[in-house]
Amino acid sequence: MKLFRYGPAGGERPALLESDGTIRDLSGVVQDVNGASVTPDGLRRIAARDPKTLPVIEQVDRIGPCLSGVGKFICIGLNYIDHARETGNQAPVEPVVFMKATSAIVGPNDNIVQPRGSTKLDWEVELGVVIGTKAKYVSEARALEHVAGYFLANDVSERALQSEGTGQWTKGKSCDTFGPIGPWFVTADEVPNPQALRLWLDVDGVRRQDGTTANMIFSVAQIVSYLSGLMTLHPGDVIITGTPAGVAQGMKPPAYLRPGQVITLGIEGLGEQRQTVIADSA
C-alpha cells in the first residue's frame, strides 16, 4: 500500500493511493498515518477495507509529511563509500549515528527555508525507513520484520553548522524545513529488496546524485539491528540511511544552494519530491 497525508500544514488527513492513481480518503478508517497505523494491526485494518468503499479525493493541493507524530528521527551518516570519499572521510567501520529534530519535518514539496546567515546549504537524497514493531536487541536476520515500510527523504544540511565551529551534525541537520519526507509511506511488502533501489537528485534540472541502495555500506537490516542495540525502536520512529555521492560539499568548487533554486529528487517506487529554496523572512 501507498499511504500519505494531504491538506494544509497541521490539518492533514490520511489517504490511500491506489495503483491506478485514484486517491481515497482514509479518515473513516484511521485517525492519521502515524505510529499506531503503521503497526501490523494498523496496516491490517487498512488493508481489510475495500478501497472502492472509501471516498475519492478529486484534488490534492498539498501533500504533507508521509508520517505524523514521529518519535525519533535517526540518521546514518557516510553510508555510501563514494560519498564518504567525496567529503574526505574514510568508510566507517560501524554506522555513524546522529539525530535530526522532528520539528524539521515538512511535506515533500514544501519550500526549504535557508536559515539566516547560512552559507553552505546542501542536499542529500536518502532512503527512509519506518519502524512498525518494537525492536530491542534484534538480530540482523530478523531486523526487517520490524520495518513497516519506506519513504523518500531529503536530508537537507547546513555544512557550516555541521562541520565548523563546534562541528555538531545534529545542529547542521535540524533547522526548520530540513526534513522533507514523502510523498508516500510505502509498505514493506511493496519493497521486497530495499538494497536494490535507484535514487537520484537534480538541482535546477541538472543531475547531481544518481546512485543505488546496493552501494550502502550498512544495509537496512544491519542498521536496524545496530540501532536496536543502542536504543529501543518504537512504531513510528524513522531512520534515514545515508546518501550517495554528488552533494554540493563534494563539488570543486562547492556549489551550495541559493534562494530560488529548485531541487527534485526520487527513489524507484517511492515517488518524487520538488522543493524551492527560499530565504528566511521571519
Side-chain angles (χ1 to χ4, degrees):
M1 295 184 290
K2 290 183 174 66
L3 308 181
F4 73 106
R5 305 169 65 248
Y6 71 99
E12 294 94 343
R13 296 165 64 91
L16 169 72
L17 179 69
E18 293 191 87
S19 58
D20 64 359
T22 302
I23 299 170
R24 303 278 180 171
D25 186 86
L26 280 173
S27 299
V29 183
V30 293
Q31 182 179 9
D32 206 341
V33 183
N34 55 22
S37 57
V38 301
T39 63
D41 285 345
L43 292 177
R44 279 193 291 267
R45 187 181 310 116
I46 297 170
R49 288 293 298 265
D50 180 357
K52 306 304 180 188
T53 67
L54 301 173
V56 174
I57 306 302
E58 299 290 351
Q59 179 176 330
V60 171
D61 295 324
R62 173 183 176 270
I63 298 177
C66 59
L67 197 71
S68 71
V70 171
K72 293 189 283 293
F73 196 158
I74 309 169
C75 310
I76 306 299
L78 305 175
N79 197 30
Y80 290 70
I81 186 61
D82 55 357
H83 173 59
R85 287 172 177 162
E86 75 173 346
T87 57
N89 292 282
Q90 298 295 317
V93 296
E94 60 183 70
V96 175
V97 180
F98 61 96
M99 307 294 282
K100 199 176 186 85
T102 56
S103 57
I105 294 173
V106 290
N109 304 317
D110 291 344
N111 292 332
I112 292 173
V113 179
Q114 183 173 26
R116 293 181 183 178
S118 167
T119 58
K120 296 182 178 180
L121 189 65
D122 208 343
W123 59 81
E124 293 188 8
V125 60
E126 304 204 11
L127 171 66
V129 177
V130 179
I131 298 298
T133 61
K134 180 179 176 181
K136 181 68 171 176
Y137 296 124
V138 301
S139 67
E140 181 182 335
R142 304 201 65 174
L144 294 186
E145 297 174 15
H146 297 269
V147 173
Y150 302 90
F151 62 90
L152 166 65
N154 186 356
D155 180 17
V156 184
S157 309
E158 213 302 325
R159 303 299 188 189
L161 291 175
Q162 177 185 348
S163 303
E164 299 173 13
T166 55
Q168 298 175 31
W169 284 34
T170 294
K171 185 172 65 177
K173 303 279 191 168
S174 292
C175 300
D176 294 346
T177 74
F178 276 23
I181 63 172
W184 331 123
F185 158 72
V186 181
T187 51
D189 60 294
E190 293 197 8
V191 187
N193 184 3
Q195 305 309 142
L197 302 175
R198 178 173 169 262
L199 62 171
W200 57 270
L201 182 145
D202 294 349
V203 179
D204 291 339
V206 177
R207 183 61 42 95
R208 296 301 187 191
Q209 292 184 277
D210 194 349
T212 170
T213 57
N215 291 335
M216 287 166 56
I217 298 169
F218 303 103
S219 69
V220 172
Q222 289 173 314
I223 291 168
V224 172
S225 176
Y226 180 83
L227 291 174
S228 76
L230 300 176
M231 64 192 84
T232 303
L233 303 176
H234 296 278
D237 288 347
V238 301
I239 308 161
I240 55 176
T241 57
T243 197
V247 300
Q249 183 184 30
M251 299 171 67
K252 299 186 186 305
Y256 293 112
L257 291 165
R258 306 180 307 278
Q261 291 191 291
V262 175
I263 309 165
T264 52
L265 57 149
I267 298 181
E268 178 184 2
L270 303 185
E272 299 184 5
Q273 299 183 357
R274 178 184 175 90
Q275 297 120 21
T276 300
V277 180
I278 64 171
D280 190 343
S281 60

